[in-house]
């Protein structure tokens, strides 16, 4: 006869369950409550947060330390604590605030093995979080305790010990201390254990050897190189996560002890394995490109090697196949590797351009995830370092410039600054075509950003304007300065940030380069660019600023009589200088500088001032009076050939003038 | 060739404006920098006729440390073309570090190299030191001439089927004193020793001016 099917009871409301925890009981009557809470929260962020609001965590943690709690209750309570801490930052915080770690640590010595297991698993979950406390390995008792955990026959406990090392070991003193205590050997022995033991051990070894040549050297010597060979073997493990962690570990050793890795073979293998791992599902595939970026780093040799094993083609292939569906993290990683490949070598940039990378990634400039947009900007910035392709106008098209201009108004500051960097390079328009930036409204936005409260944004936007101004037509230069305003430029020349000042001076120099400079921009009644430059040059400024300031004056002095006179007024000592016994021009100091370019830029200014024309004799006398000619005579054998030739040019012109 | 660029977090260095003065320098000159223009002629005479094209050259980029520079060359009054013909070229600076006097490519043998370099009077004092190894141990940092090879890469404003060739390259000698340039075109399939003669141009009436950019 058919019978009515048994119906599972509806889940108890969290409020009721939380209330039961407050009953004050700690006996087995709480077991069903704890089990149900645990089952409700596993993999359920919403429920975890709800129970956190109901303040369930302190009550559950209290059960861990209650002497009257029977083992089954402790086991469930520990499991629930671990689950709260798994993948939810607020959960980790709540668990830590409730003091779970010391209680769980005590339970590692419990006579009931199941209690020990449960406590160990929960602690391992907690120590996977960045919020977990750092374990102080320099305390002898802590080190002893750690070693006792590593010596345990309980797999959960040894994994916990490795997790603690992976999470907490940072300083060289800690690394050395653990190494001297034999922790590395213990971890190496775990490489032959279960998959979890191997993975946590790999993590821990990476933490101990990272950036520590001494420890890395000791590692590779363990058992005459057998430990190292084990790592090499794990690169081919059947589990993707283990392969990834083995790569991370080997890279840590390579970076700490590069001599051991002189053969390219191992590095090539690492590159190939990481390229394969990018195709893996889940976190392994998401993290693999970041590991690859860390490997090839800033090494031209590794960039070349990566190119030779078709890394660029494969990465582009991943983008072509699945950029619409790839996780943001993975996309970001792939883009950062491409950016890294384009950062140094012209051959890499050429290859990336041939693979149509700019077109491939344009739509990623509009991706929802800010980090992806940033990474896409980095790719364009690095590839556009190619002068050859800048000259060919490869980066000046609307399809590249317009999305970048739009990113200048992005809600994320990091995206804005990344876009500014990319625009800075593409603004260098070396073609004869008019720059798209001039037509796109980009100039307006750059000028606004040049007034930003953030010095980094000001710096990058002024640099972009400077680059845009390079060799531009007079008409377009005037348009830019009209948009920026003379007032803003003079303010930028006196910016609190010296780097901004330097870029503003270079921008001014580019503006006055070329013929037909309108005096309305240089000399106005209230604000004068030349006065602003003069103030900077006479104050305390960096060599970089002085160089740009002198090139500005040199360019001014190349224009006409009135501008030469203005430059003379700027460089000659004022009555104030004379009254405080500074009879010489500041140019004398510049000519005495150890900075070759500062001497050179000053010399060019002088060459232009004594360029043969009407008022030359007056200028030569004035320069003589300011101590400049005397200084020049001491420089006829300047160690820099360029300077020596310019000194002779000035003196010859002065002599011609006298004759 | 790599281009020297700066990371955004570090102090600025500009193309053609090298702030470093601590290391022994490669050959450099402030008249050989991005933005600088030169004009003159290229003698393209053959046995059939005398002909010279007016030529304008502009330096677009200069990376002294890597011995690299690049720019454009504009040839005017080219018979086969309705407009001036512009090409983009890349240059190698002979600095004994990145490049020697021996070309090692572009169908130029060491004998061709010496034959062409010897056309420059300024090369004569160096000849004995380069015959063996192209001058790998030469210190040219204080020599008042800079030697380069310029190789045109592509046509900027006309098609490759315009009837002109850019198969060869130029041996170039630059005078640090006044920025003048002389060069000889080498192409086994063209008339030999076509001479390029350029003077440094000022964009302004009253002297030399400078423009710069900075790649990040």
């Amino acid at each position: 006869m058919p019978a009515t099917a048994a119906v599972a009871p509806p889940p108890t409301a969290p409020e009721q369950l939380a209330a039961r925890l407050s009953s004050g009981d700690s006996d087995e009557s709480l077991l069903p409550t704890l089990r149900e809470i645990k089952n409700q929260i596993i993999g359920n962020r919403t429920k975890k947060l709800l129970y956190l609001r109901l303040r369930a965590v302190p009550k559950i943690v209290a059960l861990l330390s209650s002497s009257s709690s029977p083992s089954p209750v402790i086991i469930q309570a520990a499991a629930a604590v671990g689950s709260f801490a798994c993948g939810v930052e607020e959960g980790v915080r709540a668990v830590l605030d409730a003091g779970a770690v010391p209680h769980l640590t005590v339970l590692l010595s419990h006579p009931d093995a199941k209690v020990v297991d449960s406590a160990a698993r929960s602690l391992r979950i907690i120590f996977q979080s960045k919020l977990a406390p750092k374990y102080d390995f320099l305390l002898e008792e802590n080190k002893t305790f750690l070693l006792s955990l590593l010596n345990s026959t309980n797999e959960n406990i040894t994994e916990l010990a490795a997790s603690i090392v992976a999470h907490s070991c940072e300083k060289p003193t800690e690394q050395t201390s653990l190494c001297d205590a034999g922790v590395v050997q213990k971890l190496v022995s775990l490489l032959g254990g279960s998959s979890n033991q191997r993975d946590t051990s790999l993590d821990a070894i990476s933490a101990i050897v990272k950036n520590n040549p001494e420890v890395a050297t000791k590692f590779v010597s363990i058992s005459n190189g057998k430990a190292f060979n084990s790592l090499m073997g794990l690169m081919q493990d059947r589990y993707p996560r283990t392969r990834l962690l083995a790569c991370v570990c080997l890279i840590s050793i390579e970076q700490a002890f590069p001599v051991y890795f002189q053969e390219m073979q191992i590095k090539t293998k690492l590159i190939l394995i990481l390229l394969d791992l990018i195709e893996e599902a889940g976190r392994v595939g998401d993290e693999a490109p970041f590991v690859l970026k860390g490997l090839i780093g800033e090494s031209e040799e590794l960039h070349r090697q990566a190119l030779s094993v078709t890394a660029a083609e494969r990465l582009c292939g991943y983008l072509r196949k699945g950029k619409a569906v790839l996780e943001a993290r993975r996309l970001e990683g792939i883009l950062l590797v491409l950016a890294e490949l384009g950062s140094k070598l012209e051959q890499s940039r050429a290859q990336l351009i041939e693979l149509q990378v700019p077109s491939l990634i344009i739509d990623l400039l509009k991706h929802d995830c800010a980090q992806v947009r940033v990474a896409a900007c980095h790719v364009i910035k690095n590839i556009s370092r190619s002068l050859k392709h800048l000259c060919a106008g490869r980066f000046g098209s609307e399809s590249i410039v317009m999305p970048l201009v739009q990113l200048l108004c992005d809600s994320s500051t990091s995206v804005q600054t990344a876009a500014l960097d990319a625009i800075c390079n593409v603004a260098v328009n070396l073609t004869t075509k008019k720059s798209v930036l001039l037509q796109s409204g980009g100039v307006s936005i750059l000028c606004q950003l040049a007034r930003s409260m953030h010095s980094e944004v000001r710096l990058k936007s002024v640099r972009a304007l400077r680059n845009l101004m390079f060799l531009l037509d007079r008409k377009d230069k005037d348009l830019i300065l009209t948009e920026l305003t003379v007032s803003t430029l003079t303010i930028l020349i006196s910016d609190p940030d010296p780097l901004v000042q330097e870029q503003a001076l270079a921008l001014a120099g580019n503006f006055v380069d070329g013929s037909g400079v309108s005096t309305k921009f240089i000399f106005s009644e209230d604000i004068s660019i030349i006065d602003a430059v003069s103030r900077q040059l006479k104050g305390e400024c960096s060599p970089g600023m002085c160089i740009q300031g002198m090139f500005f004056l040199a360019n001014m002095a190349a224009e006409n009589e009135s501008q030469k006179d203005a430059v003379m007024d700027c460089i000659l000592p004022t009555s104030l200088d004379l009254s405080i016994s500074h009879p010489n021009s500041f140019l004398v100091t510049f000519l005495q500088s150890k900075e070759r370019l500062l001497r050179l830029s000053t010399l060019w200014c002088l060459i232009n001032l004594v360029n043969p024309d009407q008022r030359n004799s007056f200028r030569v006398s004035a320069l003589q009076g300011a101590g400049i000619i005397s200084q020049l005579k001491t420089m006829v054998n300047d160690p820099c050939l360029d300077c020596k030739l310019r000194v002779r040019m000035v003196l010859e012109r002065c002599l011609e003038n006298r004759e | 060739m790599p281009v020297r660029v700066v990371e955004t977090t570090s102090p600025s260095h500009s193309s053609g404006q090298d702030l470093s003065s601590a290391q022994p320098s490669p050959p450099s000159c402030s008249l050989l920098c991005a933005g600088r223009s030169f004009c003159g002629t290229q003698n393209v005479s053959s046995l059939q006729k005398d002909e010279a094209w007016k030529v304008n050259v502009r330096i677009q980029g200069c990376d002294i440390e890597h011995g690299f520079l690049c720019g454009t060359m504009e040839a005017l009054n080219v018979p086969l073309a309705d407009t001036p013909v512009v090409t983009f070229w890349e240059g190698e600076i002979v600095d004994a570090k990145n490049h020697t006097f021996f070309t090692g490519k572009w169908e130029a043998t060491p004998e061709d190299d010496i034959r062409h370099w010897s056309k420059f009077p300024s090369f004569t004092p160096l000849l004995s030191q380069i015959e063996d190894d192209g001058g790998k141990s030469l210190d040219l940092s204080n020599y008042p001439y800079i030697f380069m090879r310029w190789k045109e890469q592509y046509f900027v404003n006309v098609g490759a089927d315009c009837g002109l060739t850019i198969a060869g390259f130029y041996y170039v000698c630059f005078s640090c004193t006044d920025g003048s340039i002389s060069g000889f075109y080498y192409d086994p399939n063209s008339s030999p020793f076509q001479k390029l003669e350029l003077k440094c141009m000022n964009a302004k009436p009253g002297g030399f001016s400078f423009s710069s950019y900075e790649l990040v």
Side-chain angles (χ1 to χ4, degrees):
Chain A
M1 289 281 292
T4 313
V7 176
T12 315
E15 292 78 3
Q16 279 179 273
L17 291 170
R20 283 183 209 163
L21 288 174
S22 304
S23 65
D25 296 332
S26 59
D27 62 14
E28 296 207 13
S29 62
L30 274 180
L31 263 179
T33 303
L34 285 168
R35 265 200 207 104
E36 198 167 349
I37 291 176
K38 187 194 75 180
N39 292 343
Q40 283 186 11
I41 65 175
I42 283 180
N44 190 323
R45 182 186 162 85
T46 311
K47 280 279 165 58
K48 288 182 193 181
L49 292 174
L50 175 56
Y51 278 103
L52 291 180
R53 282 197 295 277
L54 293 170
R55 298 195 47 76
V57 170
K59 296 168 196 166
I60 295 174
V61 169
L63 293 171
L64 296 175
S65 60
S66 165
S67 54
S68 55
S69 296
S71 293
V73 167
I74 297 175
I75 290 167
Q76 291 301 321
V81 164
S83 194
F84 273 115
C86 185
V88 175
E89 208 174 88
E90 297 89 327
V92 178
R93 241 185 236 113
V95 155
L96 292 173
D97 290 346
V101 171
H103 297 319
L104 289 167
T105 308
V106 165
L107 291 174
L108 293 177
S109 313
H110 198 277
D112 186 335
K114 286 186 183 167
V115 168
V116 170
D117 266 348
S118 189
R121 273 196 293 270
S122 292
L123 277 170
R124 197 154 65 80
I125 291 171
I126 292 171
F127 274 102
Q128 278 170 3
S129 165
K130 289 190 183 105
L131 297 174
K134 297 286 180 193
Y135 199 71
D136 186 352
F137 300 113
L138 297 177
L139 283 177
E140 209 50 47
E141 63 205 52
N142 283 359
K143 214 162 36 182
T144 309
F145 179 64
L146 181 75
L147 279 165
S148 71
L149 295 181
L150 281 170
N151 282 328
S152 169
T153 52
N154 183 317
E155 195 177 298
N156 283 319
I157 292 188
T158 53
E159 278 173 39
L160 167 63
S163 298
I164 292 173
V165 172
H167 171 74
S168 307
C169 181
E170 286 174 339
K171 300 178 205 159
T173 42
E174 291 171 334
Q175 291 169 325
T176 307
S177 172
L178 288 176
C179 183
D180 291 344
V183 166
V184 178
Q185 281 87 339
K186 298 281 179 205
L187 291 170
V188 167
S189 67
L190 294 180
L191 293 178
S194 70
S195 160
N196 279 343
Q197 276 181 317
R198 273 205 302 277
D199 288 354
T200 43
S201 178
L202 284 167
D203 245 344
I205 293 171
S206 296
I208 296 182
V209 303
K210 193 172 180 178
N211 297 324
N212 193 317
E214 194 195 320
V215 172
T217 313
K218 285 182 182 166
F219 177 86
V220 302
S221 316
I222 292 174
S223 310
N224 291 321
K226 278 190 189 151
F228 183 80
N229 291 340
S230 300
L231 278 190
M232 293 289 295
L234 287 174
M235 277 208 297
Q236 318 275 20
D237 191 85
R238 61 195 174 114
Y239 292 109
R241 179 159 169 75
T242 305
R243 293 201 295 276
L244 182 68
L245 289 169
C247 289
V248 171
C249 204
L250 282 163
I251 292 167
S252 297
I253 296 170
E254 190 269 330
Q255 287 171 348
F257 191 26
V259 164
Y260 202 71
F261 280 73
Q262 272 181 350
E263 272 188 33
M264 192 48 77
Q265 223 178 343
I266 302 176
K267 294 183 217 180
T268 307
K269 213 167 173 181
L270 281 165
I271 293 171
L272 288 169
I273 288 172
L274 288 167
L275 282 169
D276 285 339
L277 284 171
I278 293 175
E279 280 196 288
E280 291 291 335
R283 276 197 63 191
V284 171
D286 292 346
E287 294 306 313
F290 291 90
V291 177
L292 178 57
K293 178 182 178 293
L295 168 64
I296 64 176
E298 302 197 351
S299 160
E300 288 186 11
E301 191 193 18
L302 283 175
H303 286 196
R304 272 190 209 100
Q305 194 58 21
L307 290 181
S308 74
V309 296
T310 67
E313 286 90 336
R314 290 187 66 178
L315 292 166
C316 290
Y318 293 140
L319 286 181
R320 276 195 193 92
K321 250 191 329 195
K323 66 179 165 173
V325 298
L326 284 175
E327 283 295 316
R329 175 88 177 146
R330 196 174 309 203
L331 267 177
E332 184 197 354
I334 291 173
L335 288 170
L336 288 177
V337 179
L338 286 171
E340 186 61 49
L341 285 174
S343 64
K344 292 195 171 332
L345 298 174
E346 182 59 22
Q347 66 177 108
S348 308
R349 291 182 206 117
Q351 189 175 9
L352 293 173
I353 291 169
E354 211 180 322
L355 289 167
Q356 313 281 332
V357 166
S359 317
L360 190 54
I361 66 163
I362 281 172
D363 51 347
L364 295 176
L365 291 170
K366 298 177 188 161
H367 197 276
D368 290 338
C369 172
Q371 279 96 325
V372 171
R373 299 197 294 281
V374 168
C377 288
H378 283 328
V379 176
I380 294 185
K381 175 195 77 163
N382 287 359
I383 298 183
S384 62
R385 291 174 178 177
S386 168
L387 276 180
K388 179 173 179 174
H389 293 95
L390 275 174
C391 283
R394 288 289 201 122
F395 307 104
S397 65
E398 267 192 36
S399 60
I400 292 182
V401 173
M402 293 308 298
L404 288 174
V405 169
Q406 279 160 15
L407 289 182
L408 293 179
C409 304
D410 199 278
S411 54
S412 155
T413 314
S414 58
V415 173
Q416 269 188 328
T417 52
L420 276 168
D421 278 341
I423 282 183
C424 181
N425 288 358
V426 307
V428 181
N429 179 21
L430 299 173
T431 70
T432 49
K433 286 187 218 159
K434 204 170 175 63
S435 167
V436 169
L437 260 182
L438 289 171
Q439 298 161 313
S440 65
V443 171
S444 268
I445 302 176
L446 288 173
C447 292
Q448 278 169 39
L449 291 173
R451 302 179 185 103
S452 166
M453 301 277 288
H454 300 284
S455 66
E456 196 187 3
V457 171
R458 288 198 306 279
L459 171 65
K460 289 171 193 275
S461 45
V462 175
R463 189 189 281 133
L465 286 167
R466 166 204 183 169
N467 285 358
L468 187 57
M469 195 76 89
F470 176 72
L471 298 184
L472 210 55
D473 289 342
R474 176 52 54 197
K475 190 162 76 67
D476 291 328
K477 287 190 187 187
D478 289 353
L479 280 172
I480 293 176
L481 194 52
T482 304
E483 181 77 46
L484 181 66
T485 75
V486 169
S487 165
T488 301
L489 181 55
T490 54
I491 291 170
L492 289 166
I493 288 171
S494 311
D495 194 276
D497 184 339
L499 294 176
V500 175
Q501 291 176 15
E502 188 177 325
Q503 292 299 327
L505 286 162
L507 170 60
N510 281 2
F511 177 75
V512 296
D513 172 52
S515 57
V517 180
S518 168
T519 50
K520 74 174 183 183
F521 289 111
I522 310 300
F523 314 106
S524 71
E525 284 173 20
D526 306 319
I527 309 156
S528 159
I529 296 179
I530 193 168
D531 284 344
V533 174
S534 174
R535 269 196 304 276
Q536 289 303 93
L537 290 173
K538 289 176 180 171
E540 296 284 329
C541 60
S542 68
M545 281 160 50
C546 296
I547 289 164
Q548 297 302 339
M550 288 314 304
F551 274 124
F552 170 84
L553 290 181
N555 290 356
M556 288 274 297
E559 183 70 27
N560 55 35
E561 279 300 312
S562 67
Q563 291 194 20
K564 286 184 205 281
D565 286 344
V567 172
M568 289 297 289
D569 288 342
C570 172
I571 66 176
L572 290 177
T574 61
S575 52
L576 180 64
D577 297 322
L578 291 168
S579 72
I580 49 175
S581 309
H582 283 168
N584 288 341
S585 164
F586 61 88
L587 291 203
V588 173
T589 312
F590 287 2
L591 288 169
Q592 292 167 342
S593 168
K594 289 194 173 91
E595 287 286 348
R596 181 183 68 91
L597 256 190
L598 181 51
R599 301 198 303 280
L600 257 180
S601 53
T602 307
L603 286 164
W604 278 113
C605 181
L606 291 168
I607 287 169
N608 289 345
L609 284 171
V610 299
N611 198 44
D613 55 32
Q614 298 155 6
R615 286 166 54 73
N616 225 20
S617 54
F618 162 75
R619 282 193 282 270
V620 170
S621 303
L623 292 174
Q624 174 80 43
I628 291 170
I629 306 297
S630 309
Q631 172 60 32
L632 287 173
K633 287 177 181 168
T634 70
M635 294 171 68
V636 289
N637 290 312
D638 191 287
C640 163
L641 175 65
D642 205 354
C643 292
K644 189 157 66 174
L645 292 171
R646 304 314 146 214
V647 164
R648 288 181 189 177
M649 251 169 112
V650 183
L651 291 175
E652 274 164 15
R653 288 184 179 191
C654 291
L655 200 61
E656 274 166 25
N657 176 67
R658 283 216 196 101
E659 286 165 3
Chain B
M1 296 296 291
V3 174
R4 185 166 65 93
V5 294
V6 293
E7 295 301 323
T8 55
T9 52
S10 61
S12 54
H13 290 253
S14 308
S15 285
Q17 294 183 3
D18 181 3
L19 288 179
S20 163
S21 57
Q23 312 266 335
S25 321
S28 71
C29 176
S30 45
L31 287 174
L32 190 68
C33 61
R36 184 67 51 215
S37 292
F38 305 83
C39 78
T41 56
Q42 176 166 340
N43 177 324
V44 294
S45 299
S46 61
L47 288 172
Q48 283 79 37
K49 59 175 176 170
D50 280 338
E51 197 177 348
W53 297 345
K54 285 188 191 153
V55 173
N56 295 324
V57 167
R58 172 161 267 172
I59 312 281
Q60 307 279 22
C62 198
D63 181 355
I64 297 292
E65 200 190 315
H66 290 99
F68 170 83
L69 73 166
C70 65
T72 54
M73 191 180 280
E74 179 187 32
L76 295 98
N77 63 280
V78 176
L80 294 169
D82 301 325
T83 60
V85 176
V86 181
T87 54
F88 172 82
W89 55 267
E90 290 181 342
E92 300 176 343
I93 300 172
V94 176
D95 54 11
K97 182 181 95 168
N98 296 289
H99 307 287
T100 68
F101 283 96
F102 289 158
T103 307
K105 55 190 170 192
W106 303 330
E107 298 182 72
T109 63
E111 291 74 30
D112 292 320
D113 292 331
I114 292 183
R115 199 176 322 117
H116 282 80
W117 293 123
S118 298
K119 302 283 278 180
F120 302 115
S122 53
F123 176 77
T124 311
L126 307 175
L127 177 58
S128 58
Q129 294 175 76
I130 75 119
E131 278 170 325
D132 292 333
D133 61 359
K136 276 184 194 157
S137 46
L138 265 179
D139 177 6
L140 293 165
S141 58
N142 276 311
Y143 203 62
Y145 297 89
I146 295 178
F147 299 95
M148 299 174 272
R149 282 178 287 270
W150 291 0
K151 173 87 177 89
E152 290 164 294
Q153 301 291 316
Y154 56 81
F155 292 98
V156 173
N157 66 335
V158 298
D161 55 356
C162 62
L164 301 169
T165 176
I166 54 170
F169 68 97
Y170 293 86
Y171 292 88
V172 175
C173 176
F174 171 88
S175 164
C176 300
T177 307
D178 61 4
S180 61
I181 290 175
S182 49
F184 292 97
Y185 187 64
Y186 172 73
D187 176 5
N189 299 318
S190 299
S191 308
F193 303 117
Q194 293 179 38
K195 191 170 185 187
L196 180 70
E197 287 177 286
L198 305 168
K199 285 198 176 346
C200 185
M201 293 305 295
N202 294 341
K204 285 176 164 298
F208 295 84
S209 72
F210 298 82
S211 198
S212 67
Y213 62 85
E214 179 184 304
L215 297 178
V216 294

